[in-house]
Amino acid sequence: MTKGWQTVVQAEALAAALGREELAVVDCRHSLADPDAGNEAFAAGHVPGAVHAHMDRDLSGTAAHGGGAGRHPWPDATVFCARLGDWGITPHHQVVAYDGGDGAFAARLWFLLRALGHVDVAVLDGGWARWRSLGLPVETVTAAPAPARYRADFDRSRLLDARAVESHLEDGGLLVDARGAERFSGVSEPIDPVAGHVPGAVNRPYLENVGGDGRIRDPQALRDGFQGLMAGRDPAQVAVMCGSGVTACHHLLAMAHAGLPGAKLYTGSWSGWIEDPERPAATGA
């Protein structure tokens, strides 16, 4: 059985489990600069048996956009569960998500499922890059899984909007921004129309969670890094954000891998925060 992978899984273990009925593999490769790049990469080659999840169409909401939802709105639970069913995924499957390498996009699917209460979901450590470097099997045929039924709802206690973030900070909670230092400080903003960060937030780029090879760092190293920021707080007193609620999920994955589960996600993140011009923007480190 493959059950029990709940944060990250190694390529060698996944390769040995391919073809098992309880396993579902989801390719989450994506490019913010080219939304069709993930589809093209998947068609050119993917892990055998995988289905492809498009960041904009499958892992984000559409009609719900607006009102502070940001560039990648959190999806409706019913719609997302229907998509899982289209992929043949049930609450009983061991799901493995992967992307091009560092897990930033795969972590979005990981947290979507965890927020539904799905426990056995993991991110492929090192992603497609490591899979290919090991010479593991590649497939170009698109899988056609038998439709399934998935019924669940999101744990809203772990999903924050802008008002909840303000209350979180007023109550002494920690808000960790996963964007790079230049975007956090306002020195550079290549995506959103306003530069800076939410006043009171601290910066920890998500890339600090991985090594130079794109693989997630040792759990103890992650634990030391996050606990240094948390300053004695419980993980439930931590919220994470980024530009649109995608790469911030890598912090949630890393914290869980470090034995610090339970942090929250500001779903709209920076792009949602600045939809209201009355909200303040801070700059500097």
Side-chain angles (χ1 to χ4, degrees):
M1 297 290 286
T2 59
K3 305 285 277 185
W5 300 333
Q6 298 175 1
T7 54
V8 298
V9 61
Q10 299 307 313
E12 298 90 340
L14 176 59
L18 291 179
R20 296 185 182 177
E21 289 186 4
E22 70 271 18
L23 177 67
V25 182
V26 185
D27 184 315
C28 301
R29 283 178 287 175
H30 181 69
S31 168
L32 294 175
D34 181 2
D36 291 325
N39 282 335
E40 294 168 0
F42 179 79
H46 51 263
V47 173
V51 296
H52 183 253
H54 192 284
M55 179 61 65
D56 299 333
R57 294 191 292 270
D58 300 324
L59 306 185
S60 304
T62 52
H65 183 69
R71 285 184 282 106
H72 290 103
W74 192 257
D76 173 80
T78 301
V79 174
F80 179 62
C81 286
R83 195 72 184 101
L84 293 172
D86 292 341
W87 292 330
I89 296 174
T90 73
H92 308 293
H93 273 85
Q94 169 68 66
V95 180
V96 174
Y98 73 91
D99 56 30
D102 60 31
F105 299 128
R108 169 77 167 201
L109 176 59
W110 177 87
F111 186 61
L112 280 162
L113 283 165
R114 291 304 287 263
L116 286 177
H118 196 117
V119 175
D120 292 324
V121 53
V123 169
L124 179 62
D125 199 17
W128 181 246
R130 184 162 188 268
W131 185 269
R132 294 294 289 129
S133 74
L134 294 174
L136 295 173
V138 174
E139 186 174 77
T140 56
V141 176
T142 300
R149 175 173 291 185
Y150 199 116
R151 288 185 176 178
D153 201 358
F154 291 122
D155 177 1
R156 292 285 167 181
S157 69
R158 297 192 67 187
L159 307 175
L160 306 183
D161 60 13
R163 184 171 296 180
V165 165
E166 291 172 331
S167 297
H168 174 81
L169 288 168
E170 289 170 0
D171 292 341
L174 179 68
L175 178 61
V176 183
D177 192 319
R179 292 176 298 162
E182 290 191 350
R183 290 186 68 197
F184 179 84
S185 66
V187 170
S188 172
E189 182 45 72
I191 302 175
D192 292 307
V194 179
H197 59 266
V198 174
V202 300
N203 187 215
R204 177 185 167 92
Y206 85 88
L207 285 172
E208 293 187 15
N209 300 332
V210 298
D213 58 358
R215 299 176 71 184
I216 198 162
R217 294 191 185 279
D218 175 82
Q220 187 59 54
L222 292 170
R223 189 178 183 88
D224 290 345
F226 280 104
Q227 286 187 324
L229 285 178
M230 291 162 66
R233 295 179 179 87
D234 186 86
Q237 295 175 287
V238 178
V240 298
M241 64 170 290
C242 54
S244 62
V246 175
T247 59
C249 294
H250 201 283
H251 277 344
L252 299 173
L253 171 68
M255 290 181 72
H257 192 55
L260 300 169
K264 301 174 174 65
L265 174 69
Y266 172 20
T267 56
S269 286
W270 182 244
S271 58
W273 179 266
I274 61 175
E275 285 184 26
D276 182 349
E278 298 298 316
R279 293 197 187 105
T283 56

